[in-house]
Amino acid sequence: MRTDVHRQPTTQLANSLTNPLNAVRNLGILAHVDAGKTTVTERILYLTGTTHKRGEVHDGTTVTDFDPQERDRGITIFAAAVSCDWDGHRINLIDTPGHVDFADEVERSLRVLDGAIAVFDAVAGVEPQSESVWRQADRHGVPRIAFVNKLDRAGADLDAAVESIRERLHPAPLVVQLPIGTEDGFTGVVDLLRMRSLVWSGRDTDSYEEGPVPGSLVAEALRRRGLLEEAVAELHPLALEEFCAESTLSARTLVRALRDLTRTGEGVVVLCGSAYRNRGIEPLLEAVVAYLPSPLDVPAVRGTHGGVEQERSADPAGPFAALVFKVNSTSTGRLTFLRVYSGTVGKGEAVLDVGTRRTERVSRILRVQADRHAEVDRAVAGDIVAVVGVKAARAGATLCVPTAPLVLEPPAVADPVVSVAVEARSRTDVDRLVSALARLVEEDPSLVVRTDSETGQTVLSGMGELHLEVAVEKIRRAHGLEIGVGRPRVAYRETVARGVSGLVYRHVKQDGGAGQFAHVVIDTEPLEAAPDPGADTGADTGTDARDRGADFAFRSTVVGGRVPQEYVRAVEAGCRDALAEGPLGGHPVTGVRVTLTDGAVHSKDSSEMAFRTAGRLALREALRAGAMVLLEPVVEVTVTVPDEAVGGVLGDLAARRGRVSGSTARAGTTVVTATVPLAELFGYATRLRSRTQGRGTFTARPTGYAPAPGSVTGTVTAT
């Protein structure tokens, strides 16, 4: 039987007729850079008839990598949304970046997705960014299926890739296919559920032949089917009952169990293929429909209003609520991308931006195909669409019906770690640069723009060197601006190595009329120096109020009401103000515990403002009196180089203050893992290419902060 690639849906599922949301899948494509995410997306679009020509990354003809920089660099930079139809199902798909510098794009996408396809390279297995995006999906509870890609490459090994999934990601991999052929001879797969073969006969054919399992693979297919049944029975109670009674599992039971295990996250279905050769994409789509959840299968979204938590189910008839996950300013207007969680919105209707309390009017609703759009009359619960007319909503904003406001939890935004100074070449372009930077930050919340208080320079901060390069180039191309860029600088932090005890600070100010009086006594110490005595907060309790994002803890041990509770809170607020600039070089302070041990008030002149000022100035004085340490951001670097270049690469890493943690030999190459200060990696890509004749590659992912040596501290504090 030959199956045509552009088959039209022959039947609608019965449940999709009763509730159309059952036939919707909102999913993302996640992977390490160069694992083949965009190629998988292109083949899905072609297979579903959404496009009529296969786009290629190396030719710059892909649908989702439509930005000029993406085509020039050959990587995905911006998350792109596309919609397609497959066998009676609507699939809203987001192709996400694989480079660590654009992890926030992945974070915002995962916040609105119901499922994902994780793509792995059959040669490399789980790579650093594969692991990072997998952990991001874990945090959001997004069910996944795995696709081991590039089985046609030399050195491809499905079993090794699956083992790396098991060891590094720790799910239960449930392999449902067996490759037919190896490397360049890879021609198809054995479907272990239905015990059939799917063979793509031509090198770039668009259809497959379905047939019996090849005789040479029957024994291996039966063995692997048995392993699959045992693995499923161990995890799924109903499958275990059938397995104990029958010593085997039916295909129907397997499909049902695999669906349940995927949606609970207890297992991950593993498929394989070669997207570039168009092999394995149709079974992948069938797995998306069979195993990944619809909007009805995920828990109702939770939000708050007036301090009260509420739930909104995926009901088109309910009150409208949607989350903005992306904003894109184009030459034709501003596009606001939404995931609709509840209710329905139509063209011309008013919506409320709950954060700004601003009412906006939706003038157009667009079904998105990357940089192309199809206008629709309305969007319902479960949809991912773009709207025109919403002028002020930022990524993370909640839009809802004005009569039923609700605030949904926004995606988390990571703190930037690299900064550059930017300036317009011409004085006449200063205002244009300010406008361009404002638009850039509006589109990408992980970028931060500030003015340096000492130099007056405009500073652009982001997640990495490449992130800032892309941002600057976007300004140049989109706005036609000539701008100068300073050398990248990393975001240092300061922390307490040794604190002080019993520091007394009196804030007294008298300018006529009511004065200001606040008396505080504080202790400071490194945050890890004392155990966290509790999670509650409050005066006179000795308990901590810990802000894990800022790595700061505050407590009060004042007794006898010597400092009223409202003033204790003001002291804490003042201490938080003081964390913005440390004594070493004006960098943010982290890892400090402050204890308010005593104080005094004045019956007339004490106020919350006075105690906030006293808290700020007291902590500044305490930090100067104690011993401080400069912290520098460090990254885990994974370098892949030819065997003959390993010595030079190791020497270069050592010169960059890198600490090698391991190396692995892999088919004529060596993979070296090391921890390196971020400041030492500027320009490393060029140096690596030079040392390896262009054959070496590396990836880096942030791992936190570490104490900087004295030489670095002296250099940084002197600038």
Side-chain angles (χ1 to χ4, degrees), residues 54 202-206 276-279:
R54 295 190 298 267
R203 184 172 179 83
D204 295 302
T205 185
D206 295 333
Y276 182 65
R277 299 299 181 199
N278 310 300
R279 295 169 187 172

Side-chain angles (χ1 to χ4, degrees), residues 312-350:
R312 294 278 172 90
S313 60
D315 180 7
F320 171 72
L323 185 71
V324 177
F325 69 93
K326 184 178 177 67
V327 173
N328 189 16
S329 297
T330 69
S331 57
T332 57
R334 185 181 195 267
L335 294 180
T336 304
F337 290 78
L338 310 176
R339 161 66 192 266
V340 183
Y341 283 100
S342 174
T344 303
V345 63
K347 288 195 301 184
E349 293 186 4

